[in-house]
């Protein structure tokens, strides 16, 4: 139960404070320089970056959606384990033990997938990782 509670807390926190942070204010003028020398516009008049939304959701929308899916599945599976244990699931019952075991396997598997997805975000080998972070930090809105 302690492990399931810790995983629930961790996965909840990953959504409350997503990797890459959130936009601090509405942003319409941020672009990043890719490794190949081209500019990629993240925020524009047409694609407003709203305060409180995830930065990585704008920079890497497909990968961020995958992160959210993996994290949500892990969160729900860990909550299932907690509810089974708190609800008085008899531990001598084979079916209950099988359900608990499978729920923990799902929880740990998707937590590992969430970690690997974050690891891919931060390696950013195809974009030149440090360059991307530096460009986002040096956007015009951050210097006002």
């Amino acid at each position: 139960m302690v492990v399931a509670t810790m995983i629930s807390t961790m996965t909840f926190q990953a959504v409350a404070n997503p990797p890459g942070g959130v936009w601090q204010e509405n942003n319409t003028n941020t672009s990043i320089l890719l490794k190949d020398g081209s500019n990629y516009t993240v925020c524009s008049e047409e694609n407003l970056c709203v305060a409180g939304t995830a930065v990585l959701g704008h920079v890497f929308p497909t990968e961020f959606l995958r992160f959210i899916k993996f994290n949500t599945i892990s969160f729900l599976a860990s909550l299932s384990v907690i509810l089974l244990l708190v609800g008085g699931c008899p531990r001598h019952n084979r079916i209950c033990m099988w359900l608990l075991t499978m729920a923990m396997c799902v929880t740990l598997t998707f937590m590992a997938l969430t970690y690997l997805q974050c690891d891919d975000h931060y390696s950013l080998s195809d974009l030149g990782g440090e360059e991307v972070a530096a460009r986002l930090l040096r956007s015009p809105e951050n210097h006002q």
Side-chain angles (χ1 to χ4, degrees), residues 1 3 8 14 25-26 29 43 52 55 57 60 77-78 86 91 113 123 134 138 140:
M1 179 137 152
V3 172
S8 294
E25 58 189 25
N26 290 346
N29 186 20
C43 303
V55 173
F60 301 107
S78 64
V86 170
R91 285 186 284 274
L113 289 171
S123 65
R138 284 186 270 165

Side-chain angles (χ1 to χ4, degrees), residues 113-134:
L113 289 171
T114 301
Y115 170 79
L116 292 173
Q117 190 65 35
C118 281
D119 188 45
D120 283 347
H121 280 310
Y122 287 114
S123 65
L124 299 172
S125 59
D126 57 327
L127 294 177
E130 293 82 25
E131 287 180 54
V132 172

